């Protein structure tokens, strides 16, 4: 029985494992995301490496007990370095028949399946098309199935709290969390503290949830249903020394924006409109006024980016966040930012499309929109993080580019990175780049008659960036707007030659952005096949490549952070390999760009299921490519 605060005593045999994949699944109202998040936090505190995959229904609230309303949370944790949330769960916790039916096809034979037997009523079974209960039909015979009356056990544990039946039933997710915490030796003190904080104004609910958590732990320890518990030791060698915390991609982006503002010595201004899966960034940044952050929720996507661009004109580190549909609405103002040559971060958390598409599912299909989704020649740098923690570093890099070169910059994350999480080594401030820029404070040009004037489009010789003049600076008044500017003076110009010049200069500025060379992981140096990825495909690709190298295969891997401009050595890298395969969650957008730019016959491996790549399936694809004649 756990002591107050979550200390544990185990009396049953303990088996040691190297890694486990657990999936919690239930109705939208069953608290599966909270349960998974708390188990993840406990696992991070224990010291395991981990990777998560929350999976939400697309509907705000689908009918209870139906397949469209199933919500799940998958967690992969290990005593070694891991890269993905796992291909298939070793343990499935299903809170109702819909959760079981939706997730059972992913569960391998022999896995543990824990179900709330109280939820398998005739009406619930009928809703999802079960003619006979799978608990009785033999459908679970190939699994290590445990039918546990979670609801009844929870209400019995809480009978002294005098809660309404509905409120008591809602604590069953904490009972399930306690049971799984016992099974895998997870510390629960942090969850108890979390519950006290969450229900600070309703302490009786905090105590009820804590009682349910402890009851679940005690059930695992005392019942004959579970003969043993399992231990996955901390990943002692997976991490360099340092201070770590668990972090999601959207939270890492939020912290990265705050850090970028501090390192640039600029206020951060976010102009945003809520949209799945980007809204978390707006929610988080709105909490940090003490760091000079101003978060503005606009009436629509167009107003949001307009406000952000105005803040950039006023001297802020300006940001707008969105997803694919919002990107389309923002395109005209992005073009204006290109013409004005002002720093602006456009963060696109990609999701399934087109149109409203799959709001809660992941995709990488906005690359071509980011590259070309504007009228005229309007080049914009594009960067993409590869893991949830990498979102922090990538948004700082995006800020560096935007501020140094006076340009809008696209950052392409996606739903998988946004809501997934992993351990993150917290950097010290002096490890972060110095992003400070000088505002224009005096005239910068002398006319033929000796008059000193301010030319808003007189460029830096190295970066081609124009000066950044904050409105109200005496003597630096200049015209602003979307009509073509005269080189140097910034006056309105319809001159054909000037327009040709300005288009080419804006393109040259983007082409000249300094980005690191592409690093290739080719241990043997004689690989025939290069696997090239971008964005969130990094984890599955790397996991698949590791598996093949473990089989003795020679295979090279590289991953792009900078998609525009691309690393200058990319053409040389592509030419070095006879075959290049590009996995991406679209119909081959990066592959199309690479073929056009480098005349290399790259092979696209595509997937648009709304889910990330499976490492095992990707390994099969790479294995076939290696041995293809």
């Amino acid at each position: 029985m756990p002591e107050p605060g979550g200390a544990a005593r185990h009396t049953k045999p303990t088996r040691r494992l190297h890694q486990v994949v657990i999936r919690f699944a239930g109705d939208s109202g069953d608290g599966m995301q909270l349960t998974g998040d708390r188990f993840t936090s406990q696992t991070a505190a224990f010291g395991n490496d981990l990777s998560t995959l929350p999976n939400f229904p697309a509907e705000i609230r689908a009918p209870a007990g139906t397949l469209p309303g199933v919500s799940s949370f998958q967690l992969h944790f290990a005593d070694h370095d891991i890269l993905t949330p796992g291909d298939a769960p070793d343990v499935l916790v299903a809170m109702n028949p819909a959760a079981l039916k939706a997730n059972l096809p992913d569960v391998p034979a022999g896995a543990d399946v824990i179900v709330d037997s109280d939820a398998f009523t005739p009406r619930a079974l009928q809703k999802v098309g079960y003619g006979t209960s799978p608990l009785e039909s033999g459908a679970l015979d190939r699994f290590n199935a445990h039918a546990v009356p979670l609801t009844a056990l929870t209400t019995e544990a809480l009978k002294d709290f005098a809660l309404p039946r509905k409120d008591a039933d809602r604590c069953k997710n904490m009972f399930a969390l306690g049971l799984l915490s016992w099974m895998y030796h997870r510390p629960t003190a942090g969850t108890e503290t979390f519950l006290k904080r969450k229900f600070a104004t309703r302490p009786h609910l905090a105590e009820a949830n804590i009682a349910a958590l402890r009851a679940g732990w005690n059930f695992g320890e005392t019942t004959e249903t579970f003969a043993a518990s399992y231990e996955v030791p901390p990943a002692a060698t997976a991490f360099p020394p340092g201070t770590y915390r668990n972090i999601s991609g959207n939270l890492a982006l939020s912290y990265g924006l705050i850090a970028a503002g501090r390192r640039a010595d600029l206020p951060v201004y976010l102009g945003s409109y809520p949209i799945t899966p980007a809204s978390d960034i707006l929610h988080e940044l709105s909490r940090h006024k003490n760091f000079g952050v101003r978060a503005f929720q606009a009436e629509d996507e167009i107003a949001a980016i307009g406000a952000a661009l105005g803040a950039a004109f006023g001297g802020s580190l300006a940001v707008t966040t969105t997803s694919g549909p919002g990107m389309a609405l923002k395109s005209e103002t992005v073009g204006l930012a290109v013409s004005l040559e002002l720093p602006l971060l456009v963060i696109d958390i990609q999701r399934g499309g087109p149109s409203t598409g799959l709001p809660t599912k992941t995709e990488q299909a906005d690359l071509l929109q980011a590259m070309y989704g504007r009228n005229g020649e309007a080049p914009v740098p594009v960067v993409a993080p590869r893991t949830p923690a990498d979102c922090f570093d990538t948004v700082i890099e995006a800020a560096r580019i935007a501020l140094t070169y006076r340009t809008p910059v696209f950052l392409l994350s996606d739903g998988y990175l946004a809501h997934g999480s992993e351990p993150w080594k917290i950097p010290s401030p002096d490890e972060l780049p110095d992003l400070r820029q000088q505002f224009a404070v005096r005239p910068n040009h002398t006319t033929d008659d000796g008059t000193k004037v301010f030319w808003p489009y007189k460029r830096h010789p190295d970066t081609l960036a124009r000066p950044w003049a904050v409105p109200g600076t005496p003597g630096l008044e200049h015209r602003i707007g979307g009509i073509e500017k005269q080189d140097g003076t910034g006056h309105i110009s319809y001159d054909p030659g000037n327009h040709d010049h300005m288009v080419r200069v804006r393109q040259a500025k983007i082409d000249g952005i300094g980005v690191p060379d592409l690093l290739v992981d080719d241990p043997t140096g004689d690989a025939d096949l290069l696997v090239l990825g971008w964005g969130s495909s990094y984890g599955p690709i790397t996991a698949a490549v590791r598996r093949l190298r473990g089989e003795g295969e020679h295979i090279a891997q590289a991953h792009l952070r900078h998609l525009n401009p691309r690393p200058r050595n990319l053409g040389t890298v592509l030419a070095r390999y006879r075959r290049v395969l590009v996995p991406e969650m679209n119909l081959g957008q990066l592959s199309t760009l690479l073929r056009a730019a480098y005349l290399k016959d790259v092979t696209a491996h595509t997937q648009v299921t709304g889910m990330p790549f499976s490492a095992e399936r990707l390994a099969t694809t790479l294995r076939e490519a290696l041995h293809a004649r």
Side-chain angles (χ1 to χ4, degrees), residues 236-253:
T237 61
F239 309 117
T243 302
Y244 289 81
R245 61 155 293 163
N246 184 52
I247 200 164
S248 68
N250 276 353
L251 187 58
L253 285 173

Side-chain angles (χ1 to χ4, degrees), residues 334 337-338 341-346 379-381 402 406-410 510:
V334 173
V338 171
E341 300 189 48
L342 287 171
L344 174 66
L345 302 184
V346 182
V380 172
R406 313 284 197 268
T407 177
V409 178
F410 279 114
I510 303 307

Side-chain angles (χ1 to χ4, degrees), residues 258-311:
I258 296 169
R262 302 291 279 189
R263 296 299 289 171
D265 198 18
L266 295 174
V268 175
Y269 184 94
L270 173 67
S272 185
Y273 180 76
I275 184 171
T276 302
S279 301
D280 291 340
I281 304 172
L282 171 61
H283 300 159
E284 183 62 34
L285 287 180
S286 68
R287 301 186 178 106
H288 295 289
K289 294 180 182 178
N290 56 313
F291 286 113
V293 177
R294 296 294 178 265
F296 169 59
Q297 180 176 320
E299 65 268 29
D300 57 39
E301 296 280 5
I302 298 172
I305 190 173
L309 184 57

